[in-house]
Amino acid sequence: MGNGIAHSFAQHGFKVALIDTNPEALERALGTIRHNLDRQIKKEVLTEDDKRQILKRITTYVDLRQGVSRADFVVEAATENESIKLGLFRELDALCPPNTVLATNTSSISITKIASVTQRADRVIGMHFMNPVPVMKLVEVVKGYSTSVDTIHSVIILSERLGKIPVEVNDYPGFVANRILMPLINEAIYALHEGVADREAIDTVMKLGMAHPMGPLELADFIGLDVCLSILRVLHDGFGHPKYAPCPLLVNMVTAGKLGKKTGQGFYAY
Ligand SMILES: NC(=O)c1ccc[n+]([C@@H]2O[C@H](COP(=O)([O-])OP(=O)(O)OC[C@H]3O[C@@H](n4cnc5c(N)ncnc54)[C@H](O)[C@@H]3O)[C@@H](O)[C@H]2O)c1
C-alpha cells in the first residue's frame, strides 16, 4: 500500500519521503512504482517524461527521523498491527513539526486509539486508500473522536487533489469498507473449508452471479491473508460477536506463511 500511496502523491505533484524499516521493501516498492508507471504510459495516461518527474519526487528512507522531520503530511501504512501503529504514532508525534497532520491507512484499527498516544489527537485521521491505490478512486476518510473539522476538510481536499473520491465515515471497527467486505471473505473461506465448493467455483459464483470483478478468495490473496486475519480479529474483538470469528483455515494458512500474492501462495499459486 505504501508504494501505491507514494505513487499517487508523486503523480499529483507532491514531494514524497517513502519510509520502511526494511530496505528490501523499499527496493521492491520502487520496482512496483516503476512497473505501474509503465502501465500508465502504455495506457497513454502518462508520458516517459512524466515518469521521470514522478520518480524524481520520491526519496526513500529507512530512518523515520530523516524522512519525516520536515513533512507537512504523513500517511502511515505499516503492518496492520496495533502495537506497531501505536509505537509509530508516538514516534511520529515526537519527530514531526507540530502542525503536521498524521493520517493512517489502517484498514480497521481505531483512529481514536491511535490518536490517543499523540499530543495532537485533533490532527490524527484515517485516510484509507483502496488497493491498488493508483487505480482505485475511493478514500474512506475516518474521523476519530477528537479529529478536528479542519483536519477532515484538509484530507478531503487532499484526496480530491489526488483525483480520489473521499467518503467520510465514523470510527467503528473496520469502518465501512472492511466491516462489510471481511465477513464476505471470511464466509467464502468457510465455504471452502466446509467443502461446499472448490476455490474456482466459489470465486466464479461471486464474479458471475454478483458482478464482482474478483472472487472473494482471489481478493483475499490480493489483500494479503495476514491483513485479512488482522482485520477480522479487530472486528471480532471490537464487536464481541462470534459472526466475525476468523475461519480456522485462514488462521492456519497465515500460520503456515501462505499470505497470498505477496508470498506466491495463498488460495491460488502466483
Ligand atoms: N493490503 C491491502 O489491500 C490494504 C488495503 C487498504 C489498507 N491496507 C492497510 O495498509 C497498511 C499496510 O498494508 P500492506 O498490505 O501494505 O502491508 P504489508 O505487510 O505488505 O506492508 C507493510 C510494510 O510496513 C513495513 N513496516 C513495518 N513496521 C514498520 C515501521 N515501524 N516503520 C516503517 N515501516 C514499517 C514493513 O516492512 C512492510 O514493508 C495496513 O494498515 C493495512 O491494513 C491494506
Short mmCIF file of all heavy atoms in Angstrom, two decimals, residues 140-191:
data_model
loop_
_atom_site.label_atom_id
_atom_site.label_comp_id
_atom_site.label_asym_id
_atom_site.label_seq_id
_atom_site.Cartn_x
_atom_site.Cartn_y
_atom_site.Cartn_z
N GLU A 140 -11.62 6.25 2.07
CA GLU A 140 -12.50 6.27 3.23
C GLU A 140 -11.84 7.21 4.25
O GLU A 140 -10.73 6.92 4.73
CB GLU A 140 -12.61 4.84 3.78
CG GLU A 140 -13.87 4.53 4.53
CD GLU A 140 -13.92 3.07 5.00
OE1 GLU A 140 -12.89 2.37 5.06
OE2 GLU A 140 -15.04 2.62 5.35
N VAL A 141 -12.49 8.33 4.55
CA VAL A 141 -11.92 9.32 5.46
C VAL A 141 -12.54 9.06 6.83
O VAL A 141 -13.75 9.24 7.02
CB VAL A 141 -12.23 10.76 4.98
CG1 VAL A 141 -11.68 11.79 5.96
CG2 VAL A 141 -11.63 10.98 3.58
N VAL A 142 -11.71 8.60 7.79
CA VAL A 142 -12.26 8.13 9.06
C VAL A 142 -11.98 9.15 10.17
O VAL A 142 -10.83 9.45 10.48
CB VAL A 142 -11.66 6.76 9.44
CG1 VAL A 142 -12.44 6.17 10.61
CG2 VAL A 142 -11.66 5.80 8.26
N LYS A 143 -13.08 9.63 10.76
CA LYS A 143 -12.99 10.66 11.81
C LYS A 143 -12.84 9.98 13.16
O LYS A 143 -13.73 9.25 13.59
CB LYS A 143 -14.27 11.49 11.85
CG LYS A 143 -14.58 12.19 10.54
CD LYS A 143 -15.90 12.92 10.60
CE LYS A 143 -17.06 12.02 10.25
NZ LYS A 143 -18.34 12.71 10.10
N GLY A 144 -11.72 10.26 13.83
CA GLY A 144 -11.58 9.80 15.21
C GLY A 144 -12.42 10.68 16.13
O GLY A 144 -12.95 11.72 15.69
N TYR A 145 -12.50 10.28 17.39
CA TYR A 145 -13.34 11.02 18.34
C TYR A 145 -12.92 12.49 18.42
O TYR A 145 -13.76 13.39 18.53
CB TYR A 145 -13.24 10.36 19.72
CG TYR A 145 -14.19 10.95 20.73
CD1 TYR A 145 -15.51 10.52 20.79
CD2 TYR A 145 -13.76 11.96 21.59
CE1 TYR A 145 -16.39 11.08 21.70
CE2 TYR A 145 -14.63 12.52 22.51
CZ TYR A 145 -15.94 12.07 22.55
OH TYR A 145 -16.81 12.63 23.45
N SER A 146 -11.61 12.75 18.36
CA SER A 146 -11.10 14.12 18.54
C SER A 146 -10.66 14.79 17.24
O SER A 146 -10.13 15.90 17.28
CB SER A 146 -9.92 14.11 19.51
OG SER A 146 -10.28 13.47 20.70
N THR A 147 -10.82 14.11 16.11
CA THR A 147 -10.36 14.71 14.84
C THR A 147 -11.09 16.02 14.59
O THR A 147 -12.32 16.08 14.66
CB THR A 147 -10.62 13.74 13.65
OG1 THR A 147 -10.08 12.46 13.96
CG2 THR A 147 -9.98 14.25 12.37
N SER A 148 -10.33 17.08 14.26
CA SER A 148 -10.97 18.39 14.09
C SER A 148 -11.60 18.52 12.70
O SER A 148 -11.23 17.80 11.76
CB SER A 148 -9.94 19.51 14.28
OG SER A 148 -9.06 19.52 13.19
N VAL A 149 -12.51 19.46 12.60
CA VAL A 149 -13.17 19.74 11.32
C VAL A 149 -12.13 20.19 10.29
O VAL A 149 -12.18 19.80 9.12
CB VAL A 149 -14.27 20.82 11.53
CG1 VAL A 149 -14.85 21.29 10.22
CG2 VAL A 149 -15.36 20.27 12.43
N ASP A 150 -11.15 20.99 10.72
CA ASP A 150 -10.10 21.45 9.80
C ASP A 150 -9.32 20.26 9.22
O ASP A 150 -8.99 20.24 8.04
CB ASP A 150 -9.09 22.35 10.53
CG ASP A 150 -9.63 23.76 10.68
OD1 ASP A 150 -10.73 24.04 10.13
OD2 ASP A 150 -8.97 24.57 11.35
N THR A 151 -9.01 19.31 10.09
CA THR A 151 -8.26 18.14 9.62
C THR A 151 -9.09 17.35 8.60
O THR A 151 -8.58 16.94 7.56
CB THR A 151 -7.87 17.23 10.81
OG1 THR A 151 -7.09 18.01 11.73
CG2 THR A 151 -7.07 16.03 10.38
N ILE A 152 -10.37 17.18 8.90
CA ILE A 152 -11.24 16.45 7.96
C ILE A 152 -11.27 17.19 6.61
O ILE A 152 -11.08 16.58 5.56
CB ILE A 152 -12.67 16.31 8.53
CG1 ILE A 152 -12.63 15.47 9.82
CG2 ILE A 152 -13.61 15.68 7.50
CD1 ILE A 152 -13.89 15.58 10.67
N HIS A 153 -11.45 18.51 6.66
CA HIS A 153 -11.50 19.28 5.41
C HIS A 153 -10.20 19.16 4.63
O HIS A 153 -10.21 18.99 3.41
CB HIS A 153 -11.81 20.76 5.69
CG HIS A 153 -13.26 20.98 5.96
ND1 HIS A 153 -13.75 22.10 6.57
CD2 HIS A 153 -14.33 20.21 5.70
CE1 HIS A 153 -15.06 22.00 6.69
NE2 HIS A 153 -15.43 20.86 6.16
N SER A 154 -9.08 19.23 5.35
CA SER A 154 -7.80 19.19 4.61
C SER A 154 -7.63 17.82 3.95
O SER A 154 -7.12 17.73 2.83
CB SER A 154 -6.61 19.57 5.49
OG SER A 154 -6.45 18.62 6.50
N VAL A 155 -8.08 16.75 4.60
CA VAL A 155 -7.92 15.42 4.00
C VAL A 155 -8.89 15.23 2.82
O VAL A 155 -8.55 14.59 1.82
CB VAL A 155 -8.08 14.32 5.07
CG1 VAL A 155 -8.18 12.94 4.46
CG2 VAL A 155 -6.89 14.37 6.02
N ILE A 156 -10.05 15.84 2.91
CA ILE A 156 -10.99 15.77 1.79
C ILE A 156 -10.42 16.50 0.57
O ILE A 156 -10.40 15.97 -0.55
CB ILE A 156 -12.37 16.33 2.21
CG1 ILE A 156 -13.04 15.30 3.13
CG2 ILE A 156 -13.24 16.66 1.00
CD1 ILE A 156 -14.31 15.76 3.76
N ILE A 157 -9.89 17.69 0.81
CA ILE A 157 -9.31 18.48 -0.30
C ILE A 157 -8.10 17.75 -0.89
O ILE A 157 -7.93 17.64 -2.10
CB ILE A 157 -8.96 19.91 0.18
CG1 ILE A 157 -10.25 20.68 0.45
CG2 ILE A 157 -8.08 20.65 -0.82
CD1 ILE A 157 -10.06 21.94 1.27
N LEU A 158 -7.28 17.21 0.00
CA LEU A 158 -6.09 16.49 -0.44
C LEU A 158 -6.48 15.26 -1.28
O LEU A 158 -5.90 15.00 -2.34
CB LEU A 158 -5.29 16.07 0.79
CG LEU A 158 -3.89 15.50 0.60
CD1 LEU A 158 -3.02 16.41 -0.25
CD2 LEU A 158 -3.24 15.32 1.98
N SER A 159 -7.49 14.53 -0.83
CA SER A 159 -7.94 13.34 -1.57
C SER A 159 -8.40 13.76 -2.97
O SER A 159 -8.07 13.10 -3.97
CB SER A 159 -9.12 12.66 -0.86
OG SER A 159 -8.75 12.30 0.45
N GLU A 160 -9.11 14.88 -3.05
CA GLU A 160 -9.58 15.35 -4.36
C GLU A 160 -8.41 15.76 -5.25
O GLU A 160 -8.41 15.49 -6.45
CB GLU A 160 -10.59 16.49 -4.18
CG GLU A 160 -11.91 15.95 -3.66
CD GLU A 160 -12.89 17.01 -3.15
OE1 GLU A 160 -12.49 18.19 -3.02
OE2 GLU A 160 -14.04 16.64 -2.85
N ARG A 161 -7.39 16.36 -4.63
CA ARG A 161 -6.19 16.73 -5.42
C ARG A 161 -5.48 15.49 -5.96
O ARG A 161 -4.77 15.56 -6.95
CB ARG A 161 -5.22 17.57 -4.58
CG ARG A 161 -5.61 19.04 -4.62
CD ARG A 161 -4.55 19.92 -4.03
NE ARG A 161 -3.25 19.86 -4.70
CZ ARG A 161 -2.16 20.45 -4.24
NH1 ARG A 161 -2.20 21.14 -3.11
NH2 ARG A 161 -1.01 20.36 -4.90
N LEU A 162 -5.67 14.36 -5.30
CA LEU A 162 -5.08 13.10 -5.78
C LEU A 162 -5.98 12.42 -6.81
O LEU A 162 -5.72 11.30 -7.23
CB LEU A 162 -4.85 12.14 -4.60
CG LEU A 162 -3.89 12.60 -3.50
CD1 LEU A 162 -3.87 11.59 -2.36
CD2 LEU A 162 -2.49 12.80 -4.05
N GLY A 163 -7.09 13.09 -7.16
CA GLY A 163 -8.03 12.51 -8.13
C GLY A 163 -8.92 11.44 -7.52
O GLY A 163 -9.49 10.61 -8.22
N LYS A 164 -9.05 11.45 -6.17
CA LYS A 164 -9.84 10.41 -5.50
C LYS A 164 -11.20 10.96 -5.09
O LYS A 164 -11.44 12.17 -5.08
CB LYS A 164 -9.12 9.93 -4.23
CG LYS A 164 -7.70 9.45 -4.44
CD LYS A 164 -7.65 8.18 -5.24
CE LYS A 164 -6.24 7.64 -5.37
NZ LYS A 164 -6.09 6.77 -6.55
N ILE A 165 -12.06 10.04 -4.69
CA ILE A 165 -13.38 10.43 -4.18
C ILE A 165 -13.43 10.08 -2.69
O ILE A 165 -13.44 8.89 -2.33
CB ILE A 165 -14.51 9.74 -4.97
CG1 ILE A 165 -14.42 10.20 -6.43
CG2 ILE A 165 -15.88 10.05 -4.37
CD1 ILE A 165 -15.28 9.43 -7.39
N PRO A 166 -13.39 11.11 -1.83
CA PRO A 166 -13.40 10.83 -0.39
C PRO A 166 -14.82 10.59 0.12
O PRO A 166 -15.76 11.22 -0.34
CB PRO A 166 -12.84 12.13 0.21
CG PRO A 166 -13.11 13.19 -0.80
CD PRO A 166 -13.23 12.54 -2.13
N VAL A 167 -14.94 9.65 1.06
CA VAL A 167 -16.23 9.41 1.72
C VAL A 167 -15.97 9.43 3.23
O VAL A 167 -15.10 8.71 3.72
CB VAL A 167 -16.83 8.04 1.31
CG1 VAL A 167 -18.09 7.74 2.10
CG2 VAL A 167 -17.14 8.02 -0.19
N GLU A 168 -16.71 10.29 3.95
CA GLU A 168 -16.50 10.41 5.40
C GLU A 168 -17.24 9.32 6.16
O GLU A 168 -18.42 9.09 5.90
CB GLU A 168 -17.10 11.75 5.89
CG GLU A 168 -16.18 12.92 5.73
CD GLU A 168 -16.87 14.18 6.25
OE1 GLU A 168 -17.17 14.25 7.46
OE2 GLU A 168 -17.13 15.07 5.42
N VAL A 169 -16.54 8.70 7.10
CA VAL A 169 -17.20 7.70 7.95
C VAL A 169 -16.71 7.89 9.39
O VAL A 169 -15.71 8.56 9.64
CB VAL A 169 -16.91 6.25 7.47
CG1 VAL A 169 -17.23 6.07 6.01
CG2 VAL A 169 -15.47 5.84 7.73
N ASN A 170 -17.42 7.26 10.32
CA ASN A 170 -17.05 7.36 11.73
C ASN A 170 -16.16 6.19 12.15
O ASN A 170 -16.05 5.19 11.44
CB ASN A 170 -18.30 7.46 12.59
CG ASN A 170 -18.96 8.81 12.41
OD1 ASN A 170 -18.30 9.86 12.44
ND2 ASN A 170 -20.26 8.81 12.16
N ASP A 171 -15.58 6.35 13.33
CA ASP A 171 -14.57 5.41 13.81
C ASP A 171 -15.20 4.23 14.56
O ASP A 171 -15.39 4.31 15.78
CB ASP A 171 -13.60 6.19 14.71
CG ASP A 171 -12.41 5.35 15.16
OD1 ASP A 171 -12.13 4.34 14.50
OD2 ASP A 171 -11.76 5.74 16.16
N TYR A 172 -15.56 3.19 13.82
CA TYR A 172 -16.02 1.92 14.41
C TYR A 172 -15.16 0.83 13.83
O TYR A 172 -14.62 1.00 12.72
CB TYR A 172 -17.49 1.68 14.07
CG TYR A 172 -18.41 2.49 14.95
CD1 TYR A 172 -18.71 3.80 14.63
CD2 TYR A 172 -18.92 1.95 16.12
CE1 TYR A 172 -19.52 4.56 15.46
CE2 TYR A 172 -19.73 2.70 16.95
CZ TYR A 172 -20.02 4.01 16.61
OH TYR A 172 -20.80 4.75 17.44
N PRO A 173 -15.03 -0.33 14.50
CA PRO A 173 -14.13 -1.36 13.99
C PRO A 173 -14.40 -1.70 12.52
O PRO A 173 -15.54 -1.97 12.13
CB PRO A 173 -14.44 -2.56 14.90
CG PRO A 173 -14.90 -1.93 16.19
CD PRO A 173 -15.66 -0.69 15.77
N GLY A 174 -13.34 -1.65 11.72
CA GLY A 174 -13.46 -1.96 10.29
C GLY A 174 -14.06 -0.84 9.46
O GLY A 174 -14.19 -0.99 8.24
N PHE A 175 -14.48 0.25 10.12
CA PHE A 175 -15.12 1.40 9.44
C PHE A 175 -16.29 0.86 8.59
O PHE A 175 -17.07 0.05 9.10
CB PHE A 175 -14.08 2.19 8.63
CG PHE A 175 -12.76 2.33 9.33
CD1 PHE A 175 -11.56 2.00 8.72
CD2 PHE A 175 -12.71 2.74 10.67
CE1 PHE A 175 -10.35 2.10 9.39
CE2 PHE A 175 -11.51 2.84 11.36
CZ PHE A 175 -10.33 2.51 10.71
N VAL A 176 -16.40 1.29 7.32
CA VAL A 176 -17.48 0.73 6.49
C VAL A 176 -16.92 -0.37 5.58
O VAL A 176 -17.45 -1.49 5.52
CB VAL A 176 -18.18 1.81 5.64
CG1 VAL A 176 -19.16 1.17 4.63
CG2 VAL A 176 -18.92 2.80 6.53
N ALA A 177 -15.81 -0.05 4.88
CA ALA A 177 -15.33 -0.96 3.83
C ALA A 177 -15.11 -2.38 4.38
O ALA A 177 -15.67 -3.34 3.86
CB ALA A 177 -14.03 -0.41 3.24
N ASN A 178 -14.32 -2.48 5.45
CA ASN A 178 -13.95 -3.82 5.90
C ASN A 178 -14.96 -4.45 6.83
O ASN A 178 -14.98 -5.67 7.00
CB ASN A 178 -12.56 -3.80 6.51
CG ASN A 178 -11.52 -3.75 5.41
OD1 ASN A 178 -11.51 -4.62 4.54
ND2 ASN A 178 -10.70 -2.72 5.41
N ARG A 179 -15.85 -3.65 7.39
CA ARG A 179 -16.93 -4.23 8.19
C ARG A 179 -17.83 -5.07 7.29
O ARG A 179 -18.40 -6.09 7.71
CB ARG A 179 -17.73 -3.12 8.85
CG ARG A 179 -18.85 -3.67 9.70
CD ARG A 179 -19.45 -2.61 10.53
NE ARG A 179 -20.55 -3.12 11.31
CZ ARG A 179 -21.13 -2.43 12.28
NH1 ARG A 179 -20.71 -1.22 12.59
NH2 ARG A 179 -22.13 -2.94 12.95
N ILE A 180 -17.93 -4.65 6.04
CA ILE A 180 -18.80 -5.37 5.10
C ILE A 180 -17.99 -6.39 4.29
O ILE A 180 -18.44 -7.52 4.09
CB ILE A 180 -19.53 -4.35 4.20
CG1 ILE A 180 -20.45 -3.49 5.08
CG2 ILE A 180 -20.31 -5.05 3.08
CD1 ILE A 180 -21.06 -2.29 4.39
N LEU A 181 -16.79 -5.99 3.85
CA LEU A 181 -16.00 -6.89 2.98
C LEU A 181 -15.47 -8.12 3.72
O LEU A 181 -15.54 -9.24 3.19
CB LEU A 181 -14.82 -6.11 2.38
CG LEU A 181 -13.86 -6.94 1.52
CD1 LEU A 181 -14.58 -7.51 0.30
CD2 LEU A 181 -12.66 -6.10 1.09
N MET A 182 -14.94 -7.93 4.95
CA MET A 182 -14.26 -9.06 5.60
C MET A 182 -15.20 -10.21 5.99
O MET A 182 -14.83 -11.37 5.83
CB MET A 182 -13.44 -8.59 6.81
CG MET A 182 -12.14 -7.95 6.40
SD MET A 182 -11.12 -9.04 5.34
CE MET A 182 -10.34 -7.81 4.31
N PRO A 183 -16.42 -9.92 6.48
CA PRO A 183 -17.32 -11.06 6.72
C PRO A 183 -17.64 -11.82 5.43
O PRO A 183 -17.80 -13.05 5.44
CB PRO A 183 -18.58 -10.39 7.30
CG PRO A 183 -18.05 -9.15 7.95
CD PRO A 183 -16.95 -8.67 7.04
N LEU A 184 -17.69 -11.11 4.29
CA LEU A 184 -17.91 -11.78 3.00
C LEU A 184 -16.74 -12.71 2.67
O LEU A 184 -16.93 -13.89 2.33
CB LEU A 184 -18.07 -10.71 1.90
CG LEU A 184 -18.05 -11.23 0.46
CD1 LEU A 184 -19.33 -11.96 0.13
CD2 LEU A 184 -17.83 -10.10 -0.53
N ILE A 185 -15.52 -12.18 2.82
CA ILE A 185 -14.33 -13.00 2.53
C ILE A 185 -14.26 -14.19 3.50
O ILE A 185 -14.01 -15.33 3.09
CB ILE A 185 -13.06 -12.12 2.61
CG1 ILE A 185 -12.97 -11.23 1.37
CG2 ILE A 185 -11.79 -12.97 2.79
CD1 ILE A 185 -11.80 -10.27 1.33
N ASN A 186 -14.53 -13.92 4.78
CA ASN A 186 -14.47 -14.99 5.79
C ASN A 186 -15.48 -16.10 5.48
O ASN A 186 -15.19 -17.28 5.60
CB ASN A 186 -14.76 -14.37 7.17
CG ASN A 186 -14.25 -15.21 8.32
OD1 ASN A 186 -13.21 -15.87 8.22
ND2 ASN A 186 -14.98 -15.20 9.42
N GLU A 187 -16.66 -15.69 5.04
CA GLU A 187 -17.71 -16.67 4.70
C GLU A 187 -17.30 -17.51 3.50
O GLU A 187 -17.57 -18.72 3.45
CB GLU A 187 -19.02 -15.91 4.41
CG GLU A 187 -20.28 -16.72 4.61
CD GLU A 187 -20.46 -17.29 6.02
OE1 GLU A 187 -20.07 -16.64 7.00
OE2 GLU A 187 -20.98 -18.42 6.11
N ALA A 188 -16.62 -16.86 2.52
CA ALA A 188 -16.13 -17.60 1.36
C ALA A 188 -15.09 -18.63 1.81
O ALA A 188 -15.07 -19.77 1.30
CB ALA A 188 -15.51 -16.64 0.35
N ILE A 189 -14.24 -18.24 2.78
CA ILE A 189 -13.21 -19.19 3.27
C ILE A 189 -13.90 -20.35 4.02
O ILE A 189 -13.52 -21.51 3.87
CB ILE A 189 -12.17 -18.47 4.16
CG1 ILE A 189 -11.50 -17.33 3.37
CG2 ILE A 189 -11.11 -19.45 4.67
CD1 ILE A 189 -10.60 -16.41 4.20
N TYR A 190 -14.93 -20.03 4.81
CA TYR A 190 -15.71 -21.11 5.47
C TYR A 190 -16.33 -22.05 4.43
O TYR A 190 -16.34 -23.27 4.62
CB TYR A 190 -16.82 -20.50 6.34
CG TYR A 190 -16.42 -20.30 7.79
CD1 TYR A 190 -16.32 -19.04 8.33
CD2 TYR A 190 -16.15 -21.40 8.62
CE1 TYR A 190 -15.94 -18.84 9.65
CE2 TYR A 190 -15.78 -21.22 9.94
CZ TYR A 190 -15.68 -19.94 10.46
OH TYR A 190 -15.31 -19.77 11.76
N ALA A 191 -16.84 -21.49 3.34
CA ALA A 191 -17.47 -22.34 2.30
C ALA A 191 -16.43 -23.30 1.72
O ALA A 191 -16.72 -24.48 1.49
CB ALA A 191 -18.09 -21.47 1.21
#
